[in-house]
Amino acid sequence: MDTRELQTLIAVAEEKSFHGAAGRLGLTQPAVTRRIQRLETRTGCILFDRAAKPLRPTPAGQRALTEARDLLRRLSGFAEIVKTGTTPGGPVKIGVSHGVAPLVTAQTIRKLHQNFPETHLSLRSGWASEMLPMLRRGEIDALLSMDEPQTGIGGIPSSDLPKSFRLDALFDDEIVPIGPADDPHPPTTIAELAERPLVLLPEGCSFRALGNVLAHRRGVSFREILEVSALDLQIEMVAAGIGYGITAKRYCQLSRSAPSLLLLDIPDACWPMKVILLRRPTSADIDMVLDGLAKIVTDAAGATAQAPSASAIMHKSNRIDEPYELDA
């Protein structure tokens, strides 16, 4: 396989035209076309939809693009590995989806630095749907996110991810409706919940998407929605009595606002989810750091044998009275 053809594939995809790729690579447009045609002959697949404006990769082209970026990224360190026997240095780039952001605190990063003092970390946050393409392109090494049966990971079923990706399920959780603990008459049905003010994350968030599904199934719509951009802010506003929310059960247990929160007992308003670490093929050194991150997050979330059980935390009609610290 000629690496120049792989570089051309990437250039055409990023420039969204053969003409733009030619200018970027210093080639003629026919030369760019011939390279892509050779790749298509080798793979037996059409890699670009020529009828689309602007030009875009076909599904096969997207897969080829992911693999091309991965191959070139690994080849770029080949000479250094041969000369020194070590993988080239650089930051370990970790993406954190908004849905699991409360699990990554200053204590988490401090512990990671203590365990790997020579490692340079680069953290980026965003919606999982935004971070997945970055993982495919090699802009991040791993994505800490959530996997839910109906919405998957950022809207993508885990079965549709590249086979080269490694998915580690860190621990199980639930998505549940919550309210303020001092409400003497909390809602017990979806219809009642829909009549209360709701504090929700923006459209695109899995928590909100599941709330919409739940309301649709019951033939109701939410009456009043206050939209916030961060999960911890949502939890704090619910605890303050501003409204109700739909979020992850464990985040409520981890929150300092836990004594002021109530898990609502509403039939069929509970969904299983997993917190996961999704990673692309990297070096053994980077994998070691990512394994360390996975353990820190799992331990902090109370998933180890030493963590308090749910029965020790939840009592008094689902009120959360004993929060535990994220770095416990």
Side-chain angles (χ1 to χ4, degrees), residues 90-242:
V92 178
K93 298 167 289 187
I94 301 168
V96 182
S97 73
H98 289 318
V100 301
L103 297 173
V104 181
T105 66
Q107 292 92 337
T108 309
I109 302 307
R110 184 168 62 243
K111 284 186 177 180
L112 199 58
H113 272 303
Q114 289 171 347
N115 293 341
F116 304 95
E118 302 301 318
T119 297
H120 298 284
L121 295 175
S122 173
L123 293 179
R124 301 183 67 166
S125 62
W127 298 113
S129 57
E130 301 169 339
M131 307 293 279
L132 272 176
M134 296 173 61
L135 186 64
R136 291 175 182 269
R137 295 193 297 263
E139 295 172 16
I140 55 176
D141 298 309
L143 172 61
L144 186 67
S145 188
M146 54 175 282
D147 187 5
E148 189 277 323
Q150 295 192 63
T151 60
I153 305 170
I156 304 296
S158 57
S159 58
D160 290 346
L161 294 171
K163 301 303 181 185
S164 59
F165 282 10
R166 169 180 163 187
L167 191 155
D168 296 323
L170 304 188
F171 54 86
D172 294 324
D173 203 351
E174 295 175 306
I175 299 172
V176 295
I178 61 172
D182 58 2
D183 183 354
H185 303 292
T188 58
T189 67
I190 294 303
E192 291 179 6
L193 179 64
E195 290 299 312
R196 308 291 179 94
L198 288 176
V199 182
L200 298 176
L201 274 72
E203 293 289 354
C205 170
S206 295
F207 300 155
R208 182 161 178 173
L210 289 171
N212 292 339
V213 169
L214 185 62
H216 178 74
R217 286 176 178 172
R218 295 294 183 272
V220 300
S221 59
F222 298 131
R223 181 176 62 85
E224 181 182 346
I225 294 176
L226 174 62
E227 192 171 283
V228 296
S229 60
L231 187 57
D232 53 353
L233 179 59
Q234 178 200 33
I235 291 174
E236 289 175 8
M237 294 183 77
V238 172
I242 294 173

Side-chain angles (χ1 to χ4, degrees), residues 283-298:
S283 69
D285 290 341
I286 291 179
D287 272 337
M288 189 179 301
V289 175
L290 295 177
D291 288 341
L293 172 66
K295 184 178 188 306
I296 291 169
V297 170
T298 302

